[in-house]
């Protein structure tokens, strides 16, 4: 009797299973979807490098320590050299525009790197000839003529953080020793000066004044430079800061401007005459049609 009971129970379970599955054996459950691959270790989101401060203007206009950063002596430690970096739109030789650092040295990009994702392929002996532009945790990046949103970072194999422009890692060239040198341009058909928007620098080109961004926040202050291309180091060039609110007259002639928001420029003192609104850095104020004699801060 016991064997009959067990057999009947097994038959009942089998019948129930077939009925529940439409008369077919139960299908195996579908495998769980594979997890999405983790992003590459080198890739960093385009924009602010992590734990780095951005300041509009040049290192000098922000009173950076000129014994550190881009101006540190050759025997300074890496930590001292990485305290600050300047990214300034300028002209060097036949390259206009091209980005230069705080010492006025031309910065470059490498065709064998990649911008999306950001990846540096220059290390070892390559990095001795083409020193990467690196920044320390808590360091400062001074931007003049380069949009903050276009600056990012990538983690190098040695753990250092290298700055990028539009995703492209940026470098110096060891044979460039003074401002205006562009000895790295075209080397190997793969190295080129980098423009403020990450392109390869080439022949001179006119740079129209940027169109105002309606969404830009009003600026509370601006930095004006007597030289074009935010130059406050050549000859008698210097920079001065002007802060709002309201209308502020400009004393002297200034040929470039760095701002962290929108400001209205006027052709005459006391905010009279012609006017134009700018919300980005202007490398040559002549492109707006006049050198400003006053500024209005909202």
């Amino acid at each position: 009797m016991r064997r009959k009971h067990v057999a009947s129970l097994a038959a009942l379970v089998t019948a129930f299973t077939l009925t529940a599955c439409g008369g077919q054996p139960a299908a195996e459950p579908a495998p769980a979807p594979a997890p999405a691959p983790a992003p590459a270790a080198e890739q960093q989101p385009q924009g602010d490098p992590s734990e780095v401060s951005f300041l509009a203007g040049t290192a000098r206009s922000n009173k950076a320590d000129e014994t550190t950063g881009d101006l540190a002596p050759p025997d300074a430690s890496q930590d001292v050299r990485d305290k600050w970096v300047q990214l300034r739109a300028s002209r060097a030789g036949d390259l206009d525009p091209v980005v230069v650092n705080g010492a006025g040295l031309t910065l470059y990009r490498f065709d064998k790197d990649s911008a999306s994702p950001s990846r540096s392929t220059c290390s070892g002996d390559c990095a001795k000839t083409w020193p990467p532009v690196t920044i320390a945790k808590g360091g400062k990046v001074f931007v003049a003529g380069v949009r903050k949103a276009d600056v990012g970072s990538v983690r190098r194999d040695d753990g250092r953080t290298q700055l990028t422009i539009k995703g492209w890692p940026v470098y110096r060239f060891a044979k460039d020793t003074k401002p205006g040198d562009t000895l790295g341009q075209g080397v190997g058909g793969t190295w080129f000066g980098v423009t403020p928007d990450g392109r390869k620098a080439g022949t001179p080109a006119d740079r129209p004044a940027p169109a105002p961004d309606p969404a830009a926040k009003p600026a509370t202050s601006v930095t004006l430079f007597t030289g074009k291309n935010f130059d406050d180091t050549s000859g008698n060039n210097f920079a001065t800061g002007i802060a709002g609110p309201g209308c502020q007259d400009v004393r002297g002639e200034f040929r470039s401007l760095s701002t962290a928001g929108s400001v209205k420029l006027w052709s005459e003192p006391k905010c009279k005459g012609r006017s134009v609104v700018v919300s980005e850095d202007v490398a040559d104020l002549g492109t707006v049609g006049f050198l400003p004699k006053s500024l209005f801060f909202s």
Side-chain angles (χ1 to χ4, degrees), residues 2-3 5 8 12 20-21 41 44 50 116 119 141 174 197 200 202 205 220-221 251 265 273 288:
R2 184 175 181 80
R3 286 196 297 270
H5 179 72
S8 298
L12 180 62
C21 298
Q44 297 282 339
S50 177
S116 183
R119 190 183 303 272
V141 180
D197 55 1
K200 298 177 186 179
T220 57
S221 64
R251 297 182 179 179
L265 315 182
V288 305

Side-chain angles (χ1 to χ4, degrees), residues 46-57:
Q46 186 64 23
D48 294 6
S50 177
E51 298 179 306
V52 168
S53 300
F54 278 85
L55 295 112

Side-chain angles (χ1 to χ4, degrees), residues 85-89 99-100 107 133 141-144 146 151 163 165:
V85 170
Q86 176 179 286
L87 302 176
R88 175 169 71 91
V99 180
V100 301
L107 301 184
V133 176
V141 180
F142 304 105
V143 287
V146 179
V151 181
L163 292 180
I165 298 178

Side-chain angles (χ1 to χ4, degrees), residues 217-235:
K217 296 181 179 179
T220 57
S221 64
V222 300
T223 303
L224 293 165
F225 300 84
T226 54
K228 295 179 182 179
N229 299 317
F230 323 100
D231 183 1
D232 56 359
T233 57
S234 300

